[in-house]
Amino acid sequence: MMLVRTGSCLCGSVTFRVEGDFDGFFLCHCSRCRKGTGSAHAANLISAAAELTWLSGRENVTSYKVEGTRHARSFCARCGAPVPDVQGDGAWITVPAGSLDGDVGLRPDAHICLASRADWDEGLEWVPGMGGLPG
Ligand SMILES: [Zn+2]
Ligand SMILES: [Zn+2]
């Protein structure tokens, strides 16, 4: 059975479908991913075989490549949310895990580029947790 997942951006204008399996699921702590997400790490699913179909809002999908590098990302021009990116001249796609609707159903394979992680990104499992917003 071919796995089909759907996803969307924060404002809902960009929606997409990913058909097929993922080859890897990586939490990347490099400085570019930290800038690009505004957080401790990116969470990207990678697939060479899966097929990406834009269902709506394709005109809002904007891509940015860091000059002189292979680092690229796509996002919704309206809300800035990360969306899937076609990389390597179409050789593979990266799908931000948080852009998928519903459960991902996979565990990350690895933290990568840990050597450049943020100074506050350590022992996060020991930070006090709350079910909702701080009161
Ligand atoms: Zn959007
Ligand atoms: Zn990275």
Side-chain angles (χ1 to χ4, degrees):
M1 196 188 77
M2 184 73 93
L3 252 178
V4 180
R5 294 180 176 87
T6 56
S8 55
C9 67
L10 183 58
C11 74
S13 73
V14 178
T15 60
F16 60 89
R17 182 177 61 215
V18 179
E19 228 169 310
D21 293 327
F22 291 112
D23 308 319
F25 184 2
F26 297 107
L27 308 178
C28 185
H29 297 249
C30 83
S31 59
R32 291 167 189 150
C33 284
R34 287 191 283 114
K35 284 287 183 196
T37 61
S39 192
H41 57 75
N44 284 319
L45 297 137
I46 316 289
S47 180
E51 197 178 321
L52 170 68
T53 307
W54 300 107
L55 301 175
S56 68
R58 170 126 204 213
E59 67 279 5
N60 286 335
V61 177
T62 306
S63 295
Y64 175 75
K65 190 165 180 288
V66 180
E67 214 172 308
T69 76
R70 292 188 314 166
H71 187 92
R73 58 187 302 268
S74 291
F75 51 93
C76 170
R78 192 159 166 244
C79 68
V83 298
D85 189 61
V86 179
Q87 306 201 328
D89 283 330
W92 73 89
I93 58 170
T94 64
V95 179
S99 71
L100 291 171
D101 296 323
D103 291 335
V104 176
L106 296 167
R107 294 280 298 163
D109 293 305
H111 288 275
I112 60 174
C113 297
L114 271 180
S116 54
R117 73 173 142 182
D119 65 347
W120 54 270
D121 181 11
E122 207 152 345
L124 294 184
E125 62 273 35
W126 305 114
V127 175
M130 303 176 191
L133 296 170

mmCIF file with all atom_site columns, all heavy atoms in Angstrom, residues 5-6 11 23 30-31 35 40 42 60 63 66 68 76-77 81 93 98 105 108 110 113 128 133:
data_model
loop_
_atom_site.group_PDB
_atom_site.id
_atom_site.type_symbol
_atom_site.label_atom_id
_atom_site.label_alt_id
_atom_site.label_comp_id
_atom_site.label_asym_id
_atom_site.label_entity_id
_atom_site.label_seq_id
_atom_site.pdbx_PDB_ins_code
_atom_site.Cartn_x
_atom_site.Cartn_y
_atom_site.Cartn_z
_atom_site.occupancy
_atom_site.B_iso_or_equiv
_atom_site.pdbx_formal_charge
_atom_site.auth_seq_id
_atom_site.auth_comp_id
_atom_site.auth_asym_id
_atom_site.auth_atom_id
_atom_site.pdbx_PDB_model_num
ATOM 1   N N   . ARG A 1 5   ? 0.433  11.130 2.436  1.00 0.00 ? 5   ARG A N   1
ATOM 2   C CA  . ARG A 1 5   ? 0.315  12.090 3.519  1.00 0.00 ? 5   ARG A CA  1
ATOM 3   C C   . ARG A 1 5   ? -0.026 13.455 2.923  1.00 0.00 ? 5   ARG A C   1
ATOM 4   O O   . ARG A 1 5   ? 0.379  13.759 1.808  1.00 0.00 ? 5   ARG A O   1
ATOM 5   C CB  . ARG A 1 5   ? 1.620  12.206 4.311  1.00 0.00 ? 5   ARG A CB  1
ATOM 6   C CG  . ARG A 1 5   ? 2.009  10.958 5.086  1.00 0.00 ? 5   ARG A CG  1
ATOM 7   C CD  . ARG A 1 5   ? 3.315  11.192 5.823  1.00 0.00 ? 5   ARG A CD  1
ATOM 8   N NE  . ARG A 1 5   ? 3.709  10.077 6.669  1.00 0.00 ? 5   ARG A NE  1
ATOM 9   C CZ  . ARG A 1 5   ? 4.420  9.038  6.265  1.00 0.00 ? 5   ARG A CZ  1
ATOM 10  N NH1 . ARG A 1 5   ? 4.807  8.966  5.001  1.00 0.00 ? 5   ARG A NH1 1
ATOM 11  N NH2 . ARG A 1 5   ? 4.745  8.071  7.092  1.00 0.00 ? 5   ARG A NH2 1
ATOM 12  N N   . THR A 1 6   ? -0.749 14.257 3.691  1.00 0.00 ? 6   THR A N   1
ATOM 13  C CA  . THR A 1 6   ? -1.053 15.604 3.231  1.00 0.00 ? 6   THR A CA  1
ATOM 14  C C   . THR A 1 6   ? -0.512 16.604 4.247  1.00 0.00 ? 6   THR A C   1
ATOM 15  O O   . THR A 1 6   ? -0.285 16.266 5.411  1.00 0.00 ? 6   THR A O   1
ATOM 16  C CB  . THR A 1 6   ? -2.570 15.827 3.061  1.00 0.00 ? 6   THR A CB  1
ATOM 17  O OG1 . THR A 1 6   ? -3.214 15.528 4.297  1.00 0.00 ? 6   THR A OG1 1
ATOM 18  C CG2 . THR A 1 6   ? -3.136 14.941 1.960  1.00 0.00 ? 6   THR A CG2 1
ATOM 19  N N   . CYS A 1 11  ? -1.061 29.463 7.185  1.00 0.00 ? 11  CYS A N   1
ATOM 20  C CA  . CYS A 1 11  ? -2.268 30.207 6.793  1.00 0.00 ? 11  CYS A CA  1
ATOM 21  C C   . CYS A 1 11  ? -3.234 29.341 6.007  1.00 0.00 ? 11  CYS A C   1
ATOM 22  O O   . CYS A 1 11  ? -4.373 29.751 5.761  1.00 0.00 ? 11  CYS A O   1
ATOM 23  C CB  . CYS A 1 11  ? -1.900 31.466 6.003  1.00 0.00 ? 11  CYS A CB  1
ATOM 24  S SG  . CYS A 1 11  ? -1.352 31.183 4.308  1.00 0.00 ? 11  CYS A SG  1
ATOM 25  N N   . ASP A 1 23  ? 12.871 8.204  3.147  1.00 0.00 ? 23  ASP A N   1
ATOM 26  C CA  . ASP A 1 23  ? 14.133 7.467  3.325  1.00 0.00 ? 23  ASP A CA  1
ATOM 27  C C   . ASP A 1 23  ? 14.820 7.842  4.632  1.00 0.00 ? 23  ASP A C   1
ATOM 28  O O   . ASP A 1 23  ? 15.667 7.101  5.126  1.00 0.00 ? 23  ASP A O   1
ATOM 29  C CB  . ASP A 1 23  ? 15.097 7.785  2.176  1.00 0.00 ? 23  ASP A CB  1
ATOM 30  C CG  . ASP A 1 23  ? 14.442 7.586  0.825  1.00 0.00 ? 23  ASP A CG  1
ATOM 31  O OD1 . ASP A 1 23  ? 13.705 6.598  0.667  1.00 0.00 ? 23  ASP A OD1 1
ATOM 32  O OD2 . ASP A 1 23  ? 14.656 8.426  -0.063 1.00 0.00 ? 23  ASP A OD2 1
ATOM 33  N N   . CYS A 1 30  ? 22.254 22.536 12.394 1.00 0.00 ? 30  CYS A N   1
ATOM 34  C CA  . CYS A 1 30  ? 23.222 23.459 11.798 1.00 0.00 ? 30  CYS A CA  1
ATOM 35  C C   . CYS A 1 30  ? 22.711 24.900 11.892 1.00 0.00 ? 30  CYS A C   1
ATOM 36  O O   . CYS A 1 30  ? 21.521 25.143 12.069 1.00 0.00 ? 30  CYS A O   1
ATOM 37  C CB  . CYS A 1 30  ? 23.527 23.075 10.349 1.00 0.00 ? 30  CYS A CB  1
ATOM 38  S SG  . CYS A 1 30  ? 22.343 23.664 9.125  1.00 0.00 ? 30  CYS A SG  1
ATOM 39  N N   . SER A 1 31  ? 23.622 25.853 11.772 1.00 0.00 ? 31  SER A N   1
ATOM 40  C CA  . SER A 1 31  ? 23.243 27.256 11.984 1.00 0.00 ? 31  SER A CA  1
ATOM 41  C C   . SER A 1 31  ? 22.241 27.723 10.930 1.00 0.00 ? 31  SER A C   1
ATOM 42  O O   . SER A 1 31  ? 21.365 28.542 11.219 1.00 0.00 ? 31  SER A O   1
ATOM 43  C CB  . SER A 1 31  ? 24.482 28.137 11.972 1.00 0.00 ? 31  SER A CB  1
ATOM 44  O OG  . SER A 1 31  ? 25.162 28.019 10.737 1.00 0.00 ? 31  SER A OG  1
ATOM 45  N N   . LYS A 1 35  ? 18.559 29.251 11.785 1.00 0.00 ? 35  LYS A N   1
ATOM 46  C CA  . LYS A 1 35  ? 18.063 30.526 11.266 1.00 0.00 ? 35  LYS A CA  1
ATOM 47  C C   . LYS A 1 35  ? 16.758 30.323 10.510 1.00 0.00 ? 35  LYS A C   1
ATOM 48  O O   . LYS A 1 35  ? 15.800 31.082 10.657 1.00 0.00 ? 35  LYS A O   1
ATOM 49  C CB  . LYS A 1 35  ? 19.090 31.155 10.313 1.00 0.00 ? 35  LYS A CB  1
ATOM 50  C CG  . LYS A 1 35  ? 20.285 31.784 10.980 1.00 0.00 ? 35  LYS A CG  1
ATOM 51  C CD  . LYS A 1 35  ? 19.898 33.081 11.650 1.00 0.00 ? 35  LYS A CD  1
ATOM 52  C CE  . LYS A 1 35  ? 21.137 33.741 12.262 1.00 0.00 ? 35  LYS A CE  1
ATOM 53  N NZ  . LYS A 1 35  ? 20.747 34.772 13.234 1.00 0.00 ? 35  LYS A NZ  1
ATOM 54  N N   . ALA A 1 40  ? 15.554 25.383 17.610 1.00 0.00 ? 40  ALA A N   1
ATOM 55  C CA  . ALA A 1 40  ? 16.774 24.643 17.922 1.00 0.00 ? 40  ALA A CA  1
ATOM 56  C C   . ALA A 1 40  ? 17.253 23.800 16.750 1.00 0.00 ? 40  ALA A C   1
ATOM 57  O O   . ALA A 1 40  ? 18.440 23.562 16.575 1.00 0.00 ? 40  ALA A O   1
ATOM 58  C CB  . ALA A 1 40  ? 16.554 23.751 19.143 1.00 0.00 ? 40  ALA A CB  1
ATOM 59  N N   . ALA A 1 42  ? 15.909 22.019 12.597 1.00 0.00 ? 42  ALA A N   1
ATOM 60  C CA  . ALA A 1 42  ? 14.895 21.683 11.608 1.00 0.00 ? 42  ALA A CA  1
ATOM 61  C C   . ALA A 1 42  ? 14.507 20.228 11.824 1.00 0.00 ? 42  ALA A C   1
ATOM 62  O O   . ALA A 1 42  ? 15.256 19.465 12.449 1.00 0.00 ? 42  ALA A O   1
ATOM 63  C CB  . ALA A 1 42  ? 15.460 21.880 10.203 1.00 0.00 ? 42  ALA A CB  1
ATOM 64  N N   . ASN A 1 60  ? 2.111  30.686 -3.999 1.00 0.00 ? 60  ASN A N   1
ATOM 65  C CA  . ASN A 1 60  ? 2.682  31.279 -2.773 1.00 0.00 ? 60  ASN A CA  1
ATOM 66  C C   . ASN A 1 60  ? 3.972  30.587 -2.335 1.00 0.00 ? 60  ASN A C   1
ATOM 67  O O   . ASN A 1 60  ? 4.632  31.036 -1.396 1.00 0.00 ? 60  ASN A O   1
ATOM 68  C CB  . ASN A 1 60  ? 1.669  31.203 -1.621 1.00 0.00 ? 60  ASN A CB  1
ATOM 69  C CG  . ASN A 1 60  ? 0.545  32.205 -1.780 1.00 0.00 ? 60  ASN A CG  1
ATOM 70  O OD1 . ASN A 1 60  ? 0.708  33.232 -2.436 1.00 0.00 ? 60  ASN A OD1 1
ATOM 71  N ND2 . ASN A 1 60  ? -0.615 31.907 -1.215 1.00 0.00 ? 60  ASN A ND2 1
ATOM 72  N N   . SER A 1 63  ? 11.061 29.919 -2.812 1.00 0.00 ? 63  SER A N   1
ATOM 73  C CA  . SER A 1 63  ? 12.259 29.189 -2.422 1.00 0.00 ? 63  SER A CA  1
ATOM 74  C C   . SER A 1 63  ? 13.414 30.145 -2.211 1.00 0.00 ? 63  SER A C   1
ATOM 75  O O   . SER A 1 63  ? 13.497 31.192 -2.856 1.00 0.00 ? 63  SER A O   1
ATOM 76  C CB  . SER A 1 63  ? 12.625 28.161 -3.493 1.00 0.00 ? 63  SER A CB  1
ATOM 77  O OG  . SER A 1 63  ? 11.609 27.182 -3.555 1.00 0.00 ? 63  SER A OG  1
ATOM 78  N N   . VAL A 1 66  ? 20.779 29.601 0.036  1.00 0.00 ? 66  VAL A N   1
ATOM 79  C CA  . VAL A 1 66  ? 21.891 30.375 0.591  1.00 0.00 ? 66  VAL A CA  1
ATOM 80  C C   . VAL A 1 66  ? 23.008 30.385 -0.447 1.00 0.00 ? 66  VAL A C   1
ATOM 81  O O   . VAL A 1 66  ? 23.489 29.320 -0.857 1.00 0.00 ? 66  VAL A O   1
ATOM 82  C CB  . VAL A 1 66  ? 22.402 29.776 1.916  1.00 0.00 ? 66  VAL A CB  1
ATOM 83  C CG1 . VAL A 1 66  ? 23.560 30.595 2.465  1.00 0.00 ? 66  VAL A CG1 1
ATOM 84  C CG2 . VAL A 1 66  ? 21.265 29.704 2.939  1.00 0.00 ? 66  VAL A CG2 1
ATOM 85  N N   . GLY A 1 68  ? 26.115 30.261 -2.673 1.00 0.00 ? 68  GLY A N   1
ATOM 86  C CA  . GLY A 1 68  ? 27.376 29.546 -2.557 1.00 0.00 ? 68  GLY A CA  1
ATOM 87  C C   . GLY A 1 68  ? 27.286 28.256 -1.753 1.00 0.00 ? 68  GLY A C   1
ATOM 88  O O   . GLY A 1 68  ? 28.314 27.658 -1.432 1.00 0.00 ? 68  GLY A O   1
ATOM 89  N N   . CYS A 1 76  ? 5.899  29.419 2.552  1.00 0.00 ? 76  CYS A N   1
ATOM 90  C CA  . CYS A 1 76  ? 4.731  30.139 2.044  1.00 0.00 ? 76  CYS A CA  1
ATOM 91  C C   . CYS A 1 76  ? 5.019  31.629 2.113  1.00 0.00 ? 76  CYS A C   1
ATOM 92  O O   . CYS A 1 76  ? 5.380  32.149 3.173  1.00 0.00 ? 76  CYS A O   1
ATOM 93  C CB  . CYS A 1 76  ? 3.497  29.794 2.873  1.00 0.00 ? 76  CYS A CB  1
ATOM 94  S SG  . CYS A 1 76  ? 2.077  30.848 2.504  1.00 0.00 ? 76  CYS A SG  1
ATOM 95  N N   . ALA A 1 77  ? 4.852  32.338 0.991  1.00 0.00 ? 77  ALA A N   1
ATOM 96  C CA  . ALA A 1 77  ? 5.143  33.767 0.945  1.00 0.00 ? 77  ALA A CA  1
ATOM 97  C C   . ALA A 1 77  ? 4.172  34.562 1.803  1.00 0.00 ? 77  ALA A C   1
ATOM 98  O O   . ALA A 1 77  ? 4.459  35.689 2.190  1.00 0.00 ? 77  ALA A O   1
ATOM 99  C CB  . ALA A 1 77  ? 5.076  34.264 -0.495 1.00 0.00 ? 77  ALA A CB  1
ATOM 100 N N   . ALA A 1 81  ? 5.567  29.958 6.683  1.00 0.00 ? 81  ALA A N   1
ATOM 101 C CA  . ALA A 1 81  ? 5.737  28.590 7.183  1.00 0.00 ? 81  ALA A CA  1
ATOM 102 C C   . ALA A 1 81  ? 6.531  27.742 6.190  1.00 0.00 ? 81  ALA A C   1
ATOM 103 O O   . ALA A 1 81  ? 6.347  27.855 4.977  1.00 0.00 ? 81  ALA A O   1
ATOM 104 C CB  . ALA A 1 81  ? 4.369  27.944 7.425  1.00 0.00 ? 81  ALA A CB  1
ATOM 105 N N   . ILE A 1 93  ? 13.163 15.153 -2.318 1.00 0.00 ? 93  ILE A N   1
ATOM 106 C CA  . ILE A 1 93  ? 12.405 16.212 -1.676 1.00 0.00 ? 93  ILE A CA  1
ATOM 107 C C   . ILE A 1 93  ? 12.676 16.190 -0.181 1.00 0.00 ? 93  ILE A C   1
ATOM 108 O O   . ILE A 1 93  ? 12.980 15.137 0.390  1.00 0.00 ? 93  ILE A O   1
ATOM 109 C CB  . ILE A 1 93  ? 10.880 16.098 -1.927 1.00 0.00 ? 93  ILE A CB  1
ATOM 110 C CG1 . ILE A 1 93  ? 10.334 14.755 -1.437 1.00 0.00 ? 93  ILE A CG1 1
ATOM 111 C CG2 . ILE A 1 93  ? 10.553 16.301 -3.396 1.00 0.00 ? 93  ILE A CG2 1
ATOM 112 C CD1 . ILE A 1 93  ? 8.811  14.670 -1.429 1.00 0.00 ? 93  ILE A CD1 1
ATOM 113 N N   . GLY A 1 98  ? 6.779  19.287 10.599 1.00 0.00 ? 98  GLY A N   1
ATOM 114 C CA  . GLY A 1 98  ? 5.693  20.077 11.174 1.00 0.00 ? 98  GLY A CA  1
ATOM 115 C C   . GLY A 1 98  ? 4.682  20.562 10.159 1.00 0.00 ? 98  GLY A C   1
ATOM 116 O O   . GLY A 1 98  ? 3.613  21.049 10.534 1.00 0.00 ? 98  GLY A O   1
ATOM 117 N N   . GLY A 1 105 ? 3.913  9.319  12.047 1.00 0.00 ? 105 GLY A N   1
ATOM 118 C CA  . GLY A 1 105 ? 4.012  7.861  12.099 1.00 0.00 ? 105 GLY A CA  1
ATOM 119 C C   . GLY A 1 105 ? 5.426  7.328  11.997 1.00 0.00 ? 105 GLY A C   1
ATOM 120 O O   . GLY A 1 105 ? 5.630  6.147  11.737 1.00 0.00 ? 105 GLY A O   1
ATOM 121 N N   . PRO A 1 108 ? 12.301 10.105 14.363 1.00 0.00 ? 108 PRO A N   1
ATOM 122 C CA  . PRO A 1 108 ? 13.497 10.631 13.708 1.00 0.00 ? 108 PRO A CA  1
ATOM 123 C C   . PRO A 1 108 ? 14.619 9.590  13.720 1.00 0.00 ? 108 PRO A C   1
ATOM 124 O O   . PRO A 1 108 ? 14.737 8.809  14.667 1.00 0.00 ? 108 PRO A O   1
ATOM 125 C CB  . PRO A 1 108 ? 13.864 11.838 14.567 1.00 0.00 ? 108 PRO A CB  1
ATOM 126 C CG  . PRO A 1 108 ? 12.588 12.248 15.236 1.00 0.00 ? 108 PRO A CG  1
ATOM 127 C CD  . PRO A 1 108 ? 11.853 10.960 15.477 1.00 0.00 ? 108 PRO A CD  1
ATOM 128 N N   . ALA A 1 110 ? 17.953 10.517 13.331 1.00 0.00 ? 110 ALA A N   1
ATOM 129 C CA  . ALA A 1 110 ? 19.141 11.045 13.996 1.00 0.00 ? 110 ALA A CA  1
ATOM 130 C C   . ALA A 1 110 ? 19.074 12.551 14.175 1.00 0.00 ? 110 ALA A C   1
ATOM 131 O O   . ALA A 1 110 ? 18.423 13.248 13.393 1.00 0.00 ? 110 ALA A O   1
ATOM 132 C CB  . ALA A 1 110 ? 20.393 10.706 13.186 1.00 0.00 ? 110 ALA A CB  1
ATOM 133 N N   . CYS A 1 113 ? 24.415 17.405 12.640 1.00 0.00 ? 113 CYS A N   1
ATOM 134 C CA  . CYS A 1 113 ? 25.124 18.683 12.832 1.00 0.00 ? 113 CYS A CA  1
ATOM 135 C C   . CYS A 1 113 ? 25.056 19.145 14.286 1.00 0.00 ? 113 CYS A C   1
ATOM 136 O O   . CYS A 1 113 ? 24.951 20.349 14.562 1.00 0.00 ? 113 CYS A O   1
ATOM 137 C CB  . CYS A 1 113 ? 24.587 19.762 11.891 1.00 0.00 ? 113 CYS A CB  1
ATOM 138 S SG  . CYS A 1 113 ? 24.835 19.374 10.154 1.00 0.00 ? 113 CYS A SG  1
ATOM 139 N N   . PRO A 1 128 ? 11.024 22.129 32.780 1.00 0.00 ? 128 PRO A N   1
ATOM 140 C CA  . PRO A 1 128 ? 9.656  21.878 33.247 1.00 0.00 ? 128 PRO A CA  1
ATOM 141 C C   . PRO A 1 128 ? 8.647  21.926 32.102 1.00 0.00 ? 128 PRO A C   1
ATOM 142 O O   . PRO A 1 128 ? 8.779  22.742 31.185 1.00 0.00 ? 128 PRO A O   1
ATOM 143 C CB  . PRO A 1 128 ? 9.396  23.032 34.228 1.00 0.00 ? 128 PRO A CB  1
ATOM 144 C CG  . PRO A 1 128 ? 10.753 23.450 34.680 1.00 0.00 ? 128 PRO A CG  1
ATOM 145 C CD  . PRO A 1 128 ? 11.672 23.213 33.517 1.00 0.00 ? 128 PRO A CD  1
ATOM 146 N N   . LEU A 1 133 ? -0.431 26.961 27.784 1.00 0.00 ? 133 LEU A N   1
ATOM 147 C CA  . LEU A 1 133 ? 0.396  28.162 27.891 1.00 0.00 ? 133 LEU A CA  1
ATOM 148 C C   . LEU A 1 133 ? 0.713  28.436 29.360 1.00 0.00 ? 133 LEU A C   1
ATOM 149 O O   . LEU A 1 133 ? -0.044 28.053 30.243 1.00 0.00 ? 133 LEU A O   1
ATOM 150 C CB  . LEU A 1 133 ? -0.350 29.356 27.299 1.00 0.00 ? 133 LEU A CB  1
ATOM 151 C CG  . LEU A 1 133 ? -0.639 29.280 25.800 1.00 0.00 ? 133 LEU A CG  1
ATOM 152 C CD1 . LEU A 1 133 ? -1.599 30.397 25.376 1.00 0.00 ? 133 LEU A CD1 1
ATOM 153 C CD2 . LEU A 1 133 ? 0.649  29.376 24.992 1.00 0.00 ? 133 LEU A CD2 1
#
